[in-house]
Amino acid sequence: MPRRFIVNDPEKCTGCRICEMVCSAEKEGVFNPILSRIRTVELGVVLNTAVACRLCETPTCVKSCPRKALTSEDKSGIILVDESRCTGCGWCIEACEFGALALHPERKVVFVCDLCNGNPRCVDLCPKDALDLKTTEEVTQKMRGKVVRKLLEEDTHS
Amino acid sequence: MFGYAGRMLHVDLEKKKSHVETLQEDFCRDYIGGNGFAIKILYTHSSPKIDPLGPENPLIFAVGPFAGTMVPTGGKYIVQAKSPLTGFMGEAVSSGYWAHALKYAGFDAVIVQGRSEKPVYLFLDDDTIQFTDAGHLWGKDAIETMQMTREDIGDENVAVAAIGPAGEKGVRFACISNDRHRQAGRTGMGAVMGSKNLKAIAVRGTRGIKVSNLDGLREACKELYEQCQGPFTETYRVSGTPSSLLLYHTIAALPTRNWQDAVFEMAESIGDKYVRERWGVKAIACAGCPIACDHITVVKEGSEGKLLASVEFESLYALGSECGIGDFPTINKAVDLCDRIGMDTISTGVTVGWAMECYEKGIINSEHTGGIDLSFGHTEALLQVIEKIGNREGIGELLSLGVKRASEITGRGSSHFAMHNKGLELPGYDLRGLKASVLGFNTSTRGGCHLRSSVYDFDLKGKVDRFTAHAEYGKLVRDREDLWAIVDSLMLCKFIRGVLGTYEPLAKLYSLVTGFDIRPEELQKAGERIYNLEKAYNIREGWRRLDDYPPPRIMSDPIKSGVAKGSLVTKEEFDLMFESYCRHRGWTPEGLPTRSKFSELGLEDIANDVSIEREEA
């Protein structure tokens, strides 16, 4: 079964940051964005998105860990953190191109999205349905659709 | 405690010292948060009749118990101080991430006292309070200041509330801005901040906030999020507040050319549909809001590129119809100017509209304006005058005082059409044909305001006869004022009122978050307590019944055209409603709370300050 990961649709995302609140509450029992496994990004007011682990096929975070604290679960692709091995050195944080890992300020170990047993709270509670669980193929399909729509629009306008 | 951080930060700008005060459970239950906290702190920490722009005026920022949590729209903050515009209680509300950040840093409120010798900004880095030199920020616009402060600190996630040049220079309707284009706009709180040489408050909160019943809260909020995508918030989601413009124009309730008319012949060209199709980009949300009502517009400008702004209905009115301007790019530009300079768009527009009428009547001429043709509808003039107000130069010096003072200085009958109550310029609802609203806009403790009771809901939806004054409107206004005092203390957005606007669900959410078992009636009582305390503050500052009358134009110049043609509010009509309002409040017919009312609300100590002496006087 292909891997599903959390994707954000910037066209629907309003930058409300509710995903950060519900994730931190779910995982840590406290509302605190810096403990959220999904983080929001805002550029120039109207460009809003949220980023969580992409479940890479060849995860750079796993490769970068000098203490082999990170592994990628075979089927799901979820990154597992062996907290007894993690020293909080942060190499994985730098290695991830998406900023999907972060350091826990108290426990001093890294944390990352685990998809909440396949039913992520952020996806469930996103008020604008801007978050979804998708495979790479589904994302690719959506992008194809986007290109065609754009071509159509240009065609009608020309 | 849950929901509450349980702590208030005291900042002394003169000594550059701060200390933390622990909040007691009783205080939280009695005053709820936000508005309740702020007025209690303001009342307690200020002496009567102080100079609002002097160091002795405390500037208070407060959030509610929902800030930081997932409660929809719970991320608002309130700013209170004595207003340099009205001389009464000043109060302004904003939303965005700043409120959440303050809670995450571990504070429910911040009280700033004294005056710094040199410009500073405060950095609340959780418990580390830094007083940082702001010499390099002084003179910068509000948006630049927010960005530069974040760059200084090196963290894009730091939330910044800042003033622009107008606040530094003491423009009496200067605002406080945060999250780029959200403002605590009204009553000149930015001028108070500027008088303290305080340029900004940056907050980084990493402590988070816990709630009492997370599972219960999650379930309740999920339902609310879903309801927020339904019919009760549809207008906000699809059109935003600008949708009011055409509606009010159609029913002849859109103040035009300084309230000389109530229909605007160019309304279509600044109406929401036309604007959105032509310049709309996207609707965005404040932090923690599932609605997303902020419809951002971008106007292409010559070679300069694009100008992005957040243009709400009140700005469309004040900088549009009020000034006879039907050109959206001009309004977009004017909003951006006000946001950058740091001025309330309502007060700015209404003051300029008043000046335009003075110009039309020859009371002000081109000598006064420095050659600017201040005719209604003159787009360039609007933009030029906004800059002059921000700099307090030329005609801008007079206008920077607000319409009440400007008309008193100018004389020659110009007070007749100075559209304010208690010095606060009126928002865009022509009250002559909205007779429940006219009461609430004028009893408002912060002066002319649509958000202290918002009974226009009843006028506009035909739930009351909007053309006839009835005594029963007194109860409508009283009930809504108390409810809104609670909404402003829990610090929710009023745009959620269609799905969350009664005491019962509010009490339930409050219990889930705080763990305090509270009955809806107790919440209602707290609302009444908070409103009475605001009133007491105003009475201590010298409030008289006369201060609650609408401006003369509303009581003598009927609406000229449209379906409301001929409508006005007579003194007898207003008195009828006002006296009924006082009866429902348990106040004297002159509008003074009695000792027994104060006692009933647990405000015995306040009674000694304000009620008895005035009752006997």
Side-chain angles (χ1 to χ4, degrees), chain A residues 10 13-14 16-18 21-22 25-26 30-33 39 45-46 48 121 124-125 127-128, chain B residues 68-69 97 100 104 157 180-181 206 208-209 214 218 222 229 282 285 287-291:
Chain A
C13 182
T14 61
C16 74
R17 308 183 77 156
I18 284 173
M21 294 178 184
V22 300
E26 177 73 19
V30 59
F31 291 100
N32 189 352
R39 291 308 303 271
V45 182
V46 287
N48 311 89
R121 282 287 188 199
D124 182 35
L125 287 163
K128 297 295 181 191
Chain B
T69 76
Y97 192 65
H100 297 284
Y104 296 146
N157 267 318
R180 191 185 185 281
H181 57 265
T206 70
I209 189 75
L214 179 57
R218 197 190 285 116
K222 185 175 181 178
Q229 312 313 317
K282 190 183 176 186
C289 171
I291 302 170

mmCIF file of all heavy atoms in Angstrom, chain A residues 10 13-14 16-18 21-22 25-26 30-33 39 45-46 48 121 124-125 127-128, chain B residues 68-69 97 100 104 157 180-181 206 208-209 214 218 222 229 282 285 287-291:
data_model
loop_
_atom_site.group_PDB
_atom_site.id
_atom_site.type_symbol
_atom_site.label_atom_id
_atom_site.label_comp_id
_atom_site.label_asym_id
_atom_site.label_seq_id
_atom_site.Cartn_x
_atom_site.Cartn_y
_atom_site.Cartn_z
ATOM 1 N N PRO A 10 -2.507 25.151 -0.215
ATOM 2 C CA PRO A 10 -2.370 26.586 0.124
ATOM 3 C C PRO A 10 -3.549 27.423 -0.357
ATOM 4 O O PRO A 10 -3.772 28.510 0.167
ATOM 5 C CB PRO A 10 -1.086 27.003 -0.587
ATOM 6 C CG PRO A 10 -0.376 25.728 -0.895
ATOM 7 C CD PRO A 10 -1.431 24.674 -1.083
ATOM 8 N N CYS A 13 -5.881 26.904 2.598
ATOM 9 C CA CYS A 13 -5.323 27.250 3.919
ATOM 10 C C CYS A 13 -5.465 28.747 4.172
ATOM 11 O O CYS A 13 -5.081 29.574 3.354
ATOM 12 C CB CYS A 13 -3.854 26.847 3.984
ATOM 13 S SG CYS A 13 -3.087 27.185 5.577
ATOM 14 N N THR A 14 -6.042 29.110 5.332
ATOM 15 C CA THR A 14 -6.257 30.515 5.662
ATOM 16 C C THR A 14 -5.246 31.012 6.691
ATOM 17 O O THR A 14 -5.315 32.155 7.136
ATOM 18 C CB THR A 14 -7.668 30.721 6.264
ATOM 19 O OG1 THR A 14 -7.754 29.943 7.462
ATOM 20 C CG2 THR A 14 -8.751 30.290 5.300
ATOM 21 N N CYS A 16 -4.877 29.835 9.829
ATOM 22 C CA CYS A 16 -5.504 29.972 11.153
ATOM 23 C C CYS A 16 -4.714 29.302 12.277
ATOM 24 O O CYS A 16 -4.963 29.555 13.446
ATOM 25 C CB CYS A 16 -6.933 29.438 11.134
ATOM 26 S SG CYS A 16 -7.065 27.637 11.089
ATOM 27 N N ARG A 17 -3.810 28.424 11.922
ATOM 28 C CA ARG A 17 -2.914 27.773 12.887
ATOM 29 C C ARG A 17 -3.628 26.811 13.837
ATOM 30 O O ARG A 17 -3.041 26.397 14.844
ATOM 31 C CB ARG A 17 -2.124 28.828 13.690
ATOM 32 C CG ARG A 17 -1.420 29.835 12.784
ATOM 33 C CD ARG A 17 -0.581 30.831 13.551
ATOM 34 N NE ARG A 17 0.661 30.216 13.975
ATOM 35 C CZ ARG A 17 1.769 30.897 14.254
ATOM 36 N NH1 ARG A 17 1.791 32.194 14.126
ATOM 37 N NH2 ARG A 17 2.859 30.289 14.666
ATOM 38 N N ILE A 18 -4.851 26.462 13.519
ATOM 39 C CA ILE A 18 -5.578 25.522 14.379
ATOM 40 C C ILE A 18 -4.878 24.154 14.377
ATOM 41 O O ILE A 18 -4.843 23.467 15.397
ATOM 42 C CB ILE A 18 -7.063 25.433 13.949
ATOM 43 C CG1 ILE A 18 -7.805 26.695 14.429
ATOM 44 C CG2 ILE A 18 -7.739 24.175 14.497
ATOM 45 C CD1 ILE A 18 -9.234 26.832 13.951
ATOM 46 N N MET A 21 -2.372 23.958 17.063
ATOM 47 C CA MET A 21 -2.970 23.887 18.403
ATOM 48 C C MET A 21 -3.450 22.469 18.698
ATOM 49 O O MET A 21 -3.156 21.908 19.750
ATOM 50 C CB MET A 21 -4.139 24.860 18.509
ATOM 51 C CG MET A 21 -3.715 26.317 18.407
ATOM 52 S SD MET A 21 -5.182 27.366 18.497
ATOM 53 C CE MET A 21 -4.458 28.961 18.224
ATOM 54 N N VAL A 22 -4.183 21.890 17.729
ATOM 55 C CA VAL A 22 -4.769 20.581 18.018
ATOM 56 C C VAL A 22 -3.697 19.490 18.047
ATOM 57 O O VAL A 22 -3.822 18.519 18.790
ATOM 58 C CB VAL A 22 -5.921 20.218 17.045
ATOM 59 C CG1 VAL A 22 -7.040 21.236 17.142
ATOM 60 C CG2 VAL A 22 -5.452 20.078 15.614
ATOM 61 N N ALA A 25 -1.898 19.657 21.439
ATOM 62 C CA ALA A 25 -2.801 19.177 22.494
ATOM 63 C C ALA A 25 -2.905 17.652 22.451
ATOM 64 O O ALA A 25 -2.902 16.978 23.480
ATOM 65 C CB ALA A 25 -4.179 19.823 22.340
ATOM 66 N N GLU A 26 -2.988 17.125 21.227
ATOM 67 C CA GLU A 26 -3.111 15.678 21.058
ATOM 68 C C GLU A 26 -1.858 14.947 21.553
ATOM 69 O O GLU A 26 -1.937 13.960 22.272
ATOM 70 C CB GLU A 26 -3.335 15.383 19.569
ATOM 71 C CG GLU A 26 -3.414 13.918 19.199
ATOM 72 C CD GLU A 26 -4.730 13.289 19.643
ATOM 73 O OE1 GLU A 26 -5.692 14.044 19.901
ATOM 74 O OE2 GLU A 26 -4.778 12.050 19.743
ATOM 75 N N VAL A 30 -1.011 19.786 25.797
ATOM 76 C CA VAL A 30 -0.927 21.225 26.043
ATOM 77 C C VAL A 30 -1.024 21.958 24.701
ATOM 78 O O VAL A 30 -0.536 21.449 23.685
ATOM 79 C CB VAL A 30 0.393 21.569 26.790
ATOM 80 C CG1 VAL A 30 1.610 21.141 25.988
ATOM 81 C CG2 VAL A 30 0.481 23.047 27.131
ATOM 82 N N PHE A 31 -1.701 23.096 24.709
ATOM 83 C CA PHE A 31 -1.746 23.904 23.485
ATOM 84 C C PHE A 31 -0.445 24.697 23.407
ATOM 85 O O PHE A 31 -0.198 25.567 24.249
ATOM 86 C CB PHE A 31 -2.946 24.850 23.501
ATOM 87 C CG PHE A 31 -4.263 24.132 23.386
ATOM 88 C CD1 PHE A 31 -5.044 23.880 24.510
ATOM 89 C CD2 PHE A 31 -4.725 23.695 22.150
ATOM 90 C CE1 PHE A 31 -6.260 23.219 24.406
ATOM 91 C CE2 PHE A 31 -5.944 23.032 22.027
ATOM 92 C CZ PHE A 31 -6.715 22.778 23.161
ATOM 93 N N ASN A 32 0.384 24.354 22.438
ATOM 94 C CA ASN A 32 1.677 25.020 22.326
ATOM 95 C C ASN A 32 2.280 24.727 20.950
ATOM 96 O O ASN A 32 2.813 23.634 20.726
ATOM 97 C CB ASN A 32 2.614 24.525 23.430
ATOM 98 C CG ASN A 32 3.884 25.333 23.480
ATOM 99 O OD1 ASN A 32 4.140 26.162 22.608
ATOM 100 N ND2 ASN A 32 4.705 25.087 24.494
ATOM 101 N N PRO A 33 2.201 25.680 20.037
ATOM 102 C CA PRO A 33 2.648 25.423 18.659
ATOM 103 C C PRO A 33 4.064 24.859 18.550
ATOM 104 O O PRO A 33 4.332 24.094 17.633
ATOM 105 C CB PRO A 33 2.565 26.803 18.003
ATOM 106 C CG PRO A 33 1.517 27.517 18.773
ATOM 107 C CD PRO A 33 1.631 27.012 20.180
ATOM 108 N N ARG A 39 3.656 22.377 11.289
ATOM 109 C CA ARG A 39 3.908 23.797 11.526
ATOM 110 C C ARG A 39 3.427 24.617 10.340
ATOM 111 O O ARG A 39 3.521 24.194 9.197
ATOM 112 C CB ARG A 39 5.412 24.062 11.759
ATOM 113 C CG ARG A 39 5.960 23.498 13.065
ATOM 114 C CD ARG A 39 5.162 23.888 14.308
ATOM 115 N NE ARG A 39 5.014 25.317 14.547
ATOM 116 C CZ ARG A 39 5.874 26.055 15.248
ATOM 117 N NH1 ARG A 39 6.948 25.527 15.791
ATOM 118 N NH2 ARG A 39 5.640 27.343 15.430
ATOM 119 N N VAL A 45 1.485 37.513 3.679
ATOM 120 C CA VAL A 45 0.083 37.576 4.114
ATOM 121 C C VAL A 45 -0.818 36.502 3.493
ATOM 122 O O VAL A 45 -1.504 35.775 4.189
ATOM 123 C CB VAL A 45 -0.569 38.967 3.848
ATOM 124 C CG1 VAL A 45 -1.993 39.014 4.363
ATOM 125 C CG2 VAL A 45 0.261 40.054 4.523
ATOM 126 N N VAL A 46 -0.819 36.390 2.163
ATOM 127 C CA VAL A 46 -1.831 35.521 1.546
ATOM 128 C C VAL A 46 -1.319 34.131 1.173
ATOM 129 O O VAL A 46 -2.104 33.277 0.775
ATOM 130 C CB VAL A 46 -2.473 36.178 0.299
ATOM 131 C CG1 VAL A 46 -3.404 37.292 0.709
ATOM 132 C CG2 VAL A 46 -1.414 36.657 -0.670
ATOM 133 N N ASN A 48 -0.324 30.896 2.543
ATOM 134 C CA ASN A 48 -0.319 30.160 3.806
ATOM 135 C C ASN A 48 -0.224 28.674 3.526
ATOM 136 O O ASN A 48 -0.858 28.157 2.612
ATOM 137 C CB ASN A 48 -1.617 30.411 4.576
ATOM 138 C CG ASN A 48 -1.947 31.884 4.675
ATOM 139 O OD1 ASN A 48 -2.603 32.422 3.809
ATOM 140 N ND2 ASN A 48 -1.460 32.531 5.700
ATOM 141 N N ARG A 121 -5.246 14.144 13.838
ATOM 142 C CA ARG A 121 -6.167 15.143 14.410
ATOM 143 C C ARG A 121 -6.218 16.405 13.563
ATOM 144 O O ARG A 121 -7.270 17.012 13.418
ATOM 145 C CB ARG A 121 -5.696 15.539 15.814
ATOM 146 C CG ARG A 121 -6.025 14.546 16.864
ATOM 147 C CD ARG A 121 -7.519 14.556 17.205
ATOM 148 N NE ARG A 121 -7.720 13.694 18.371
ATOM 149 C CZ ARG A 121 -8.872 13.181 18.728
ATOM 150 N NH1 ARG A 121 -9.959 13.438 18.007
ATOM 151 N NH2 ARG A 121 -8.951 12.421 19.787
ATOM 152 N N ASP A 124 -8.428 15.924 10.656
ATOM 153 C CA ASP A 124 -9.805 15.817 11.127
ATOM 154 C C ASP A 124 -10.395 17.182 11.480
ATOM 155 O O ASP A 124 -11.556 17.463 11.203
ATOM 156 C CB ASP A 124 -9.829 14.891 12.353
ATOM 157 C CG ASP A 124 -11.240 14.686 12.893
ATOM 158 O OD1 ASP A 124 -12.173 14.638 12.067
ATOM 159 O OD2 ASP A 124 -11.399 14.589 14.123
ATOM 160 N N LEU A 125 -9.586 18.029 12.096
ATOM 161 C CA LEU A 125 -10.130 19.275 12.640
ATOM 162 C C LEU A 125 -9.884 20.512 11.785
ATOM 163 O O LEU A 125 -10.416 21.582 12.076
ATOM 164 C CB LEU A 125 -9.585 19.505 14.053
ATOM 165 C CG LEU A 125 -10.192 18.565 15.102
ATOM 166 C CD1 LEU A 125 -9.347 18.542 16.368
ATOM 167 C CD2 LEU A 125 -11.621 18.966 15.453
ATOM 168 N N PRO A 127 -10.540 23.343 9.784
ATOM 169 C CA PRO A 127 -11.887 23.844 9.475
ATOM 170 C C PRO A 127 -12.116 24.082 7.987
ATOM 171 O O PRO A 127 -13.256 24.162 7.542
ATOM 172 C CB PRO A 127 -11.985 25.150 10.262
ATOM 173 C CG PRO A 127 -10.603 25.514 10.645
ATOM 174 C CD PRO A 127 -9.769 24.282 10.612
ATOM 175 N N LYS A 128 -11.042 24.235 7.242
ATOM 176 C CA LYS A 128 -11.209 24.555 5.820
ATOM 177 C C LYS A 128 -10.889 23.364 4.919
ATOM 178 O O LYS A 128 -10.745 23.541 3.703
ATOM 179 C CB LYS A 128 -10.300 25.738 5.449
ATOM 180 C CG LYS A 128 -10.650 27.026 6.174
ATOM 181 C CD LYS A 128 -12.021 27.537 5.761
ATOM 182 C CE LYS A 128 -12.364 28.845 6.458
ATOM 183 N NZ LYS A 128 -13.773 29.214 6.286
ATOM 184 N N GLY B 68 -4.967 31.066 23.146
ATOM 185 C CA GLY B 68 -3.993 29.981 23.127
ATOM 186 C C GLY B 68 -4.613 28.617 22.920
ATOM 187 O O GLY B 68 -3.935 27.680 22.519
ATOM 188 N N THR B 69 -5.905 28.501 23.199
ATOM 189 C CA THR B 69 -6.569 27.202 23.048
ATOM 190 C C THR B 69 -7.230 27.109 21.679
ATOM 191 O O THR B 69 -7.207 28.061 20.897
ATOM 192 C CB THR B 69 -7.669 26.990 24.110
ATOM 193 O OG1 THR B 69 -8.827 27.764 23.749
ATOM 194 C CG2 THR B 69 -7.193 27.408 25.501
ATOM 195 N N TYR B 97 -2.233 36.569 16.204
ATOM 196 C CA TYR B 97 -1.418 35.638 16.982
ATOM 197 C C TYR B 97 -0.915 36.252 18.292
ATOM 198 O O TYR B 97 -0.549 35.544 19.214
ATOM 199 C CB TYR B 97 -0.234 35.147 16.132
ATOM 200 C CG TYR B 97 0.474 33.974 16.763
ATOM 201 C CD1 TYR B 97 -0.189 32.749 16.925
ATOM 202 C CD2 TYR B 97 1.776 34.081 17.238
ATOM 203 C CE1 TYR B 97 0.434 31.674 17.528
ATOM 204 C CE2 TYR B 97 2.407 33.006 17.842
ATOM 205 C CZ TYR B 97 1.729 31.808 17.985
ATOM 206 O OH TYR B 97 2.349 30.746 18.585
ATOM 207 N N HIS B 100 -2.503 34.922 21.473
ATOM 208 C CA HIS B 100 -2.081 33.552 21.783
ATOM 209 C C HIS B 100 -0.659 33.549 22.358
ATOM 210 O O HIS B 100 -0.365 32.873 23.328
ATOM 211 C CB HIS B 100 -2.114 32.692 20.517
ATOM 212 C CG HIS B 100 -3.483 32.528 19.921
ATOM 213 N ND1 HIS B 100 -4.436 31.691 20.452
ATOM 214 C CD2 HIS B 100 -4.063 33.106 18.841
ATOM 215 C CE1 HIS B 100 -5.540 31.743 19.706
ATOM 216 N NE2 HIS B 100 -5.346 32.609 18.730
ATOM 217 N N TYR B 104 0.840 31.997 25.772
ATOM 218 C CA TYR B 104 1.901 30.982 25.758
ATOM 219 C C TYR B 104 3.125 31.436 26.554
ATOM 220 O O TYR B 104 3.890 30.614 27.057
ATOM 221 C CB TYR B 104 2.324 30.654 24.320
ATOM 222 C CG TYR B 104 1.238 30.015 23.461
ATOM 223 C CD1 TYR B 104 1.165 30.299 22.088
ATOM 224 C CD2 TYR B 104 0.312 29.130 23.995
ATOM 225 C CE1 TYR B 104 0.185 29.718 21.285
ATOM 226 C CE2 TYR B 104 -0.672 28.552 23.202
ATOM 227 C CZ TYR B 104 -0.735 28.851 21.855
ATOM 228 O OH TYR B 104 -1.696 28.283 21.054
ATOM 229 N N ASN B 157 8.524 33.957 14.264
ATOM 230 C CA ASN B 157 7.314 33.600 14.992
ATOM 231 C C ASN B 157 7.024 34.493 16.198
ATOM 232 O O ASN B 157 6.039 34.288 16.901
ATOM 233 C CB ASN B 157 7.368 32.142 15.439
ATOM 234 C CG ASN B 157 6.704 31.237 14.411
ATOM 235 O OD1 ASN B 157 5.640 31.576 13.877
ATOM 236 N ND2 ASN B 157 7.330 30.122 14.107
ATOM 237 N N ARG B 180 0.686 42.391 11.158
ATOM 238 C CA ARG B 180 0.721 43.240 9.970
ATOM 239 C C ARG B 180 -0.490 44.146 9.807
ATOM 240 O O ARG B 180 -0.342 45.339 9.760
ATOM 241 C CB ARG B 180 0.886 42.415 8.676
ATOM 242 C CG ARG B 180 1.183 43.317 7.473
ATOM 243 C CD ARG B 180 1.238 42.583 6.150
ATOM 244 N NE ARG B 180 1.640 43.502 5.095
ATOM 245 C CZ ARG B 180 0.823 44.371 4.523
ATOM 246 N NH1 ARG B 180 -0.417 44.474 4.920
ATOM 247 N NH2 ARG B 180 1.265 45.169 3.573
ATOM 248 N N HIS B 181 -1.690 43.589 9.717
ATOM 249 C CA HIS B 181 -2.812 44.476 9.410
ATOM 250 C C HIS B 181 -4.012 44.255 10.328
ATOM 251 O O HIS B 181 -5.147 44.448 9.921
ATOM 252 C CB HIS B 181 -3.212 44.338 7.942
ATOM 253 C CG HIS B 181 -3.566 42.929 7.595
ATOM 254 N ND1 HIS B 181 -2.671 42.061 7.044
ATOM 255 C CD2 HIS B 181 -4.696 42.232 7.803
ATOM 256 C CE1 HIS B 181 -3.255 40.890 6.902
ATOM 257 N NE2 HIS B 181 -4.479 40.964 7.349
ATOM 258 N N THR B 206 6.575 30.197 24.827
ATOM 259 C CA THR B 206 6.858 28.779 24.568
ATOM 260 C C THR B 206 6.348 27.878 25.686
ATOM 261 O O THR B 206 6.625 26.687 25.703
ATOM 262 C CB THR B 206 8.372 28.528 24.393
ATOM 263 O OG1 THR B 206 9.016 28.692 25.658
ATOM 264 C CG2 THR B 206 8.989 29.478 23.375
ATOM 265 N N GLY B 208 3.098 27.411 26.565
ATOM 266 C CA GLY B 208 1.841 26.735 26.242
ATOM 267 C C GLY B 208 0.778 26.946 27.298
ATOM 268 O O GLY B 208 1.005 27.634 28.306
ATOM 269 N N ILE B 209 -0.402 26.362 27.036
ATOM 270 C CA ILE B 209 -1.502 26.500 28.000
ATOM 271 C C ILE B 209 -2.310 25.202 28.047
ATOM 272 O O ILE B 209 -2.584 24.594 27.018
ATOM 273 C CB ILE B 209 -2.403 27.726 27.665
ATOM 274 C CG1 ILE B 209 -3.411 27.992 28.787
ATOM 275 C CG2 ILE B 209 -3.129 27.554 26.334
ATOM 276 C CD1 ILE B 209 -2.809 28.624 30.029
ATOM 277 N N LEU B 214 -9.718 18.402 28.007
ATOM 278 C CA LEU B 214 -9.296 18.472 26.605
ATOM 279 C C LEU B 214 -10.236 17.692 25.686
ATOM 280 O O LEU B 214 -10.620 18.186 24.622
ATOM 281 C CB LEU B 214 -7.857 17.963 26.463
ATOM 282 C CG LEU B 214 -7.283 17.958 25.045
ATOM 283 C CD1 LEU B 214 -7.321 19.327 24.405
ATOM 284 C CD2 LEU B 214 -5.846 17.420 25.061
ATOM 285 N N ARG B 218 -12.348 19.408 22.736
ATOM 286 C CA ARG B 218 -12.107 19.033 21.339
ATOM 287 C C ARG B 218 -13.433 18.706 20.644
ATOM 288 O O ARG B 218 -13.689 19.144 19.525
ATOM 289 C CB ARG B 218 -11.160 17.847 21.277
ATOM 290 C CG ARG B 218 -10.535 17.639 19.908
ATOM 291 C CD ARG B 218 -9.798 16.334 19.830
ATOM 292 N NE ARG B 218 -8.523 16.315 20.513
ATOM 293 C CZ ARG B 218 -8.239 15.547 21.569
ATOM 294 N NH1 ARG B 218 -9.171 14.751 22.086
ATOM 295 N NH2 ARG B 218 -7.050 15.573 22.115
ATOM 296 N N LYS B 222 -14.990 20.888 17.652
ATOM 297 C CA LYS B 222 -15.176 20.287 16.330
ATOM 298 C C LYS B 222 -16.552 20.663 15.769
ATOM 299 O O LYS B 222 -16.690 21.038 14.603
ATOM 300 C CB LYS B 222 -15.026 18.769 16.395
ATOM 301 C CG LYS B 222 -15.105 18.149 15.017
ATOM 302 C CD LYS B 222 -14.843 16.662 14.992
ATOM 303 C CE LYS B 222 -14.946 16.199 13.527
ATOM 304 N NZ LYS B 222 -14.670 14.801 13.334
ATOM 305 N N GLN B 229 -18.726 26.754 9.195
ATOM 306 C CA GLN B 229 -18.715 26.664 7.722
ATOM 307 C C GLN B 229 -20.146 26.718 7.187
ATOM 308 O O GLN B 229 -20.390 26.510 6.005
ATOM 309 C CB GLN B 229 -18.030 25.367 7.251
ATOM 310 C CG GLN B 229 -16.687 25.072 7.907
ATOM 311 C CD GLN B 229 -15.746 26.260 7.948
ATOM 312 O OE1 GLN B 229 -15.623 26.999 6.971
ATOM 313 N NE2 GLN B 229 -15.100 26.473 9.083
ATOM 314 N N LYS B 282 -7.685 36.676 -1.653
ATOM 315 C CA LYS B 282 -7.894 35.506 -0.812
ATOM 316 C C LYS B 282 -8.464 35.957 0.526
ATOM 317 O O LYS B 282 -8.209 37.075 0.959
ATOM 318 C CB LYS B 282 -6.537 34.830 -0.575
ATOM 319 C CG LYS B 282 -6.625 33.475 0.091
ATOM 320 C CD LYS B 282 -5.223 32.935 0.344
ATOM 321 C CE LYS B 282 -5.292 31.627 1.109
ATOM 322 N NZ LYS B 282 -3.967 31.157 1.499
ATOM 323 N N ALA B 285 -7.450 34.108 7.759
ATOM 324 C CA ALA B 285 -8.027 34.040 9.106
ATOM 325 C C ALA B 285 -7.063 34.588 10.140
ATOM 326 O O ALA B 285 -5.853 34.543 9.958
ATOM 327 C CB ALA B 285 -8.355 32.592 9.449
ATOM 328 N N ALA B 287 -5.396 33.978 13.831
ATOM 329 C CA ALA B 287 -4.999 32.728 14.471
ATOM 330 C C ALA B 287 -6.150 32.204 15.327
ATOM 331 O O ALA B 287 -6.748 32.940 16.101
ATOM 332 C CB ALA B 287 -3.750 32.946 15.310
ATOM 333 N N GLY B 288 -6.472 30.929 15.137
ATOM 334 C CA GLY B 288 -7.510 30.290 15.930
ATOM 335 C C GLY B 288 -8.917 30.485 15.405
ATOM 336 O O GLY B 288 -9.878 30.106 16.063
ATOM 337 N N CYS B 289 -9.051 31.054 14.206
ATOM 338 C CA CYS B 289 -10.398 31.315 13.670
ATOM 339 C C CYS B 289 -10.730 30.392 12.506
ATOM 340 O O CYS B 289 -10.011 30.358 11.516
ATOM 341 C CB CYS B 289 -10.525 32.765 13.218
ATOM 342 S SG CYS B 289 -12.066 33.048 12.320
ATOM 343 N N PRO B 290 -11.851 29.667 12.608
ATOM 344 C CA PRO B 290 -12.268 28.785 11.511
ATOM 345 C C PRO B 290 -13.095 29.496 10.448
ATOM 346 O O PRO B 290 -13.494 28.868 9.472
ATOM 347 C CB PRO B 290 -13.110 27.732 12.232
ATOM 348 C CG PRO B 290 -13.667 28.434 13.421
ATOM 349 C CD PRO B 290 -12.702 29.528 13.802
ATOM 350 N N ILE B 291 -13.387 30.785 10.631
ATOM 351 C CA ILE B 291 -14.268 31.476 9.691
ATOM 352 C C ILE B 291 -13.472 32.042 8.511
ATOM 353 O O ILE B 291 -13.750 31.728 7.369
ATOM 354 C CB ILE B 291 -15.059 32.604 10.392
ATOM 355 C CG1 ILE B 291 -15.883 32.023 11.549
ATOM 356 C CG2 ILE B 291 -15.983 33.314 9.391
ATOM 357 C CD1 ILE B 291 -16.516 33.056 12.457
#
